[in-house]
Amino acid sequence: MLFNSYEFILIFLPLVLIGFFYLSAKGESKGILWLVIFSVFFFCWWSWSHAIILIISILMNFLFSRIIFEKSLNPKIILIFSISTNLCVLAFFKYFNFLINSILFGSNWPDFNYQIELPLGISFFTFTQIAFLVDVYSNKAKEPIIGRYFLFVTYFPHLIAGPLIHHSQMMPQFILTKIKNIRKINLIKGFGIFTVGLAKKLILADNLAVYANGVFDAAKMGIQPDFIESWTGALAYTLQLYFDFSGYCDMAIGISLMFGIKLPINFNSPYKASNIIDFWKNWHITLSTFLRNYLYIPIGGNRKGPLRR
């Protein structure tokens, strides 16, 4: 179920909004449960088996976080084990097909074409939970509550294309006392941002894809594009990629704002960048922030010499 599909816009989103505000007025736990159920359903729309993987990942990491928080076992060992487990699962789904079909078997096994499907958003929910585990270990996160933790990981607006959310940004917003009543201003702003994102996707990105795909498909069939066709295909693909990701970021922010929950900005005019570092920082802001805070700085950053950096 895509954000630009009829079933999402006309059925799923209105149903979730109406139910959320109605149940939130009756109690925080009911509103959270409603969002969790429909977030999991949104995931199930793509694949029931992948939804099971998501739920197992959440339960596993919630257990790890409780053990680390309670310090019933050595917290550092549990943290290393939990991060290693998450990264192994992520690597398995991302690289198993490449490893089996390209490296181990290659051309010697032409009939072997087994493929493992990549679960939707596995990078997002894996990195999100790794960051939470590290912060629990560092005493930067409070004791996890199962309902809010489930919603924090499964929250459907960010599942398709991000952003990569952080518990310090999201968990306080899931205390629903401030958003249990419908706020027209949030609905209007959210709908407006969603509409802009939808226009970027349908009017710009999808129409540019026609030109880009035509050139690339012709090249695959051995047809040599001329100078004009080559530049048309390259520029069309560049702009298609830009407006597709920008559109989905806008739609995610708009949808979330309708619920009274603000997602972090994830895309900020990267083609205006003056260098590749600035480009990367503005293309996928939350991912670069995650890599800086949980990889670059912990291994030394620029404080331990150029080789480490």
Side-chain angles (χ1 to χ4, degrees), residues 152-209:
F152 163 62
V153 180
T154 63
Y155 190 51
F156 74 89
H158 87 104
L159 272 180
I160 295 180
L164 186 63
I165 57 178
H166 191 267
H167 67 88
S168 64
Q169 298 167 320
M170 303 304 296
M171 289 288 203
Q173 297 190 74
F174 294 151
I175 301 174
L176 303 180
T177 53
K178 296 181 180 180
I179 62 172
K180 65 181 181 180
N181 297 317
I182 297 177
R183 295 192 62 185
K184 292 182 180 179
I185 188 64
N186 285 338
L187 289 173
I188 294 170
K189 286 182 178 179
F191 182 76
I193 296 172
F194 175 80
T195 303
V196 170
L198 187 64
K200 288 180 182 178
K201 167 63 178 170
L202 296 181
I203 298 175
L204 297 175
D206 288 356
N207 284 307
L208 287 164

Side-chain angles (χ1 to χ4, degrees), residues 96-113:
F96 177 85
N97 295 331
F98 171 76
L99 180 66
I100 295 297
N101 294 316
S102 300
I103 297 179
L104 296 183
F105 293 155
S107 59
N108 296 325
W109 293 73
D111 295 329
F112 187 88
N113 194 33

Side-chain angles (χ1 to χ4, degrees), residues 62-121:
F62 180 77
L63 177 62
F64 284 145
S65 67
R66 290 300 299 263
I67 294 173
I68 293 172
F69 180 84
E70 294 171 356
K71 296 180 173 57
S72 53
L73 298 174
N74 189 309
K76 188 172 184 178
I77 293 177
I78 298 300
L79 178 67
I80 294 172
F81 177 76
S82 61
I83 292 176
S84 301
T85 302
N86 277 284
L87 292 179
C88 285
V89 172
L90 179 62
F92 173 78
F93 283 105
K94 274 189 170 289
Y95 303 116
F96 177 85
N97 295 331
F98 171 76
L99 180 66
I100 295 297
N101 294 316
S102 300
I103 297 179
L104 296 183
F105 293 155
S107 59
N108 296 325
W109 293 73
D111 295 329
F112 187 88
N113 194 33
Y114 183 74
Q115 297 290 317
I116 290 182
E117 293 183 6
L118 185 67
L120 175 71

